[in-house]
Amino acid sequence: MRTHHLATAVTAVALLALTACNPQATDAGKPAAPSTPGTPAPSASAAAKTATLPNLVGKGLQVAQDEAQAAGFHSLKSHDALGRDRLQALDRNWKVCSQTPAAGANIETTTAVDFGTVKLEETCPATDAPAPKPAGDAMPNFVGQGMKAVRAALPGNASITVKDAVQTRMVLQESNWKVCSQDPKPGAALTGQPVSFTVAKTDETCP
């Protein structure tokens, strides 16, 4: 009986040794399936997709955005084509005057698409009106430009006074007003002094 137990133990030890030496073996004695090397992640250039940007000029801003997304473009933005820095809070109330990049371009779908827009009842400008450049050490000429955009062009700590040049109305929504006069005059040094403007509604004539 002892001889039988000894033989059984020797056999078990031998099987364990074989299993340890053969990493492909499983507990059931069957070889495991060979491992498959991992597939490398595609490079950024290989993963990039291209598509043709449709012509969206003349369409409502909401429709233009929907069609751009349907074509594969999801990085969308818009701006006020009249240079008044108005926000397109309700896209259905705006229409597209220009688009960048231009229609027909076969470009990567990650490209940002920018729409120049005006309100539905407004006429598109021949070219987008540029927003005022940030003021430096000298006072720019802001006459005729939207008051909201002018305020954004001045330093954030500037002391600014705005008065109605036509009547005695309160200037509540500056994006609807344009500059008629300014103090300091264009070209004057900006040294932190208070800045004042007279304004009129955008569709009014300055006195």
Side-chain angles (χ1 to χ4, degrees):
M1 295 296 290
R2 293 181 60 187
T3 302
H4 174 71
H5 289 307
L6 180 60
T8 302
V10 170
T11 301
V13 170
L15 288 174
L16 288 173
L18 287 172
T19 301
C21 293
N22 183 9
Q24 300 295 326
T26 63
D27 292 340
K30 297 180 181 180
S35 59
T36 302
T39 303
S43 64
S45 58
K49 295 182 180 179
T50 61
T52 300
L53 184 64
N55 184 6
L56 303 169
V57 173
K59 299 192 176 186
L61 179 56
Q62 184 63 66
V63 173
Q65 291 173 336
D66 293 343
E67 292 188 8
Q69 291 176 351
F73 299 91
H74 297 278
S75 180
L76 307 176
K77 57 183 180 178
S78 59
H79 66 273
D80 184 354
L82 297 180
R84 292 162 55 187
D85 197 27
R86 296 171 295 178
L87 296 178
Q88 290 73 60
L90 187 59
D91 296 335
R92 290 177 178 83
N93 289 344
W94 296 75
K95 61 185 177 185
V96 176
C97 297
S98 65
Q99 65 181 69
T100 305
N106 190 36
I107 54 178
E108 292 185 0
T109 54
T110 55
T111 302
V113 180
D114 186 16
F115 299 114
T117 64
V118 297
K119 288 192 173 181
L120 296 178
E121 65 274 14
E122 296 172 339
T123 302
C124 287
T127 58
D128 282 9
K133 294 182 179 179
D137 297 330
M139 184 73 168
N141 185 1
F142 289 129
V143 173
Q145 303 198 55
M147 186 60 222
K148 181 184 178 184
V150 168
R151 183 180 290 274
L154 290 166
N157 60 354
S159 299
I160 301 173
T161 301
V162 181
K163 292 183 179 180
D164 182 1
V166 180
Q167 302 176 26
T168 56
R169 298 165 293 186
M170 295 183 65
V171 181
L172 298 178
Q173 193 169 353
E174 292 183 342
S175 61
N176 291 334
W177 298 74
K178 63 184 178 184
V179 174
C180 293
S181 66
Q182 62 182 70
D183 183 28
K185 299 297 183 183
L190 279 178
T191 58
Q193 71 271 44
V195 180
S196 62
F197 298 96
T198 64
V199 296
K201 288 287 187 73
T202 304
D203 56 352
E204 294 176 341
T205 301
C206 287

